Amino acid sequence: ESYFYVGPAFMLKEKSLPQMPYTALLQKWDAYIVHVLEALAALHKAGLVHGALDAHGLRLSKEGRVKLAGIRGEMLLPEHLDATHILPPEILLAAAKRDGISFSTAYNALEGDNYAMDFHPSVLEGVHYTRPVLEHVWKTDVVGDAAGQKADVWMAGQALFSLYWDMLAAVPQSANSDFYKQYHDRFMALMGRMLAVHPMDRPTAEEALGYWN
């Protein structure tokens, strides 16, 4: 079976995207979100983690079903602290700990690379990548399958978040439209949960699916 990366496939197959009715567009995007969360929940239920989920790992089948590709099976720390990596904060901070880097130095690196600004705009209610919050994450041990699964949830959220903005860029919206008043706020609330700073504040994939449904 042939698969295509969700982002370009979505844009290329829907050449009339800017003229597509909101209802049709949202039905398609709703299905993508459900597919991702269902697949991740099934993976976690089997006691596994993805470990490398990003937007390029979301593949679209000819039948329009989103599948997870590039499953690593474990959550690995990066070779060194690099805030340009699209990784959950606890994973980046754990890499700093491993390398004997102090929290202050790690925090300055994240702040200097605009980590929070790049991936978590202020539109996400309750997502605050401040020094006290990150220090709380620093003091938390992130080991085991449960930690890896919560990291998966963050990475799935980031992938959906980036694709969502790609979609909006192709479909000009009015700030006063029903789209923003209803769907947009609901989606941002889901992202606020999945992209929570502390892993213990994030839902499981199954909980995120339940919230969205």
Side-chain angles (χ1 to χ4, degrees), residues 142-200:
V142 286
V143 294
D145 290 343
Q149 290 179 1
K150 288 301 184 75
D152 272 349
V153 168
W154 187 97
M155 295 174 79
Q158 199 283 326
L160 290 170
F161 193 55
S162 62
L163 288 172
Y164 179 71
W165 291 114
D166 287 346
M167 180 179 69
L168 289 190
V171 186
Q173 302 292 345
S174 166
N176 296 318
S177 69
D178 290 341
F179 179 88
Y180 271 106
K181 291 178 181 178
Q182 300 175 19
Y183 188 90
H184 181 78
D185 287 346
R186 178 168 166 254
F187 178 76
M188 286 301 160
L190 174 66
M191 292 297 98
R193 289 168 167 82
M194 295 179 68
L195 294 170
V197 185
H198 200 290
M200 295 303 103

Side-chain angles (χ1 to χ4, degrees), residues 11 14-22 25 167-173:
M11 299 303 170
E14 303 297 347
K15 294 180 180 179
S16 61
L17 193 60
Q19 289 78 41
M20 184 183 291
Y22 288 165
L25 175 67
M167 180 179 69
L168 289 190
V171 186
Q173 302 292 345

Side-chain angles (χ1 to χ4, degrees), residues 81-96:
L81 176 62
D82 182 354
T84 62
H85 288 146
I86 304 178
L87 292 170
E90 68 271 20
I91 301 301
L92 292 175
L93 292 176

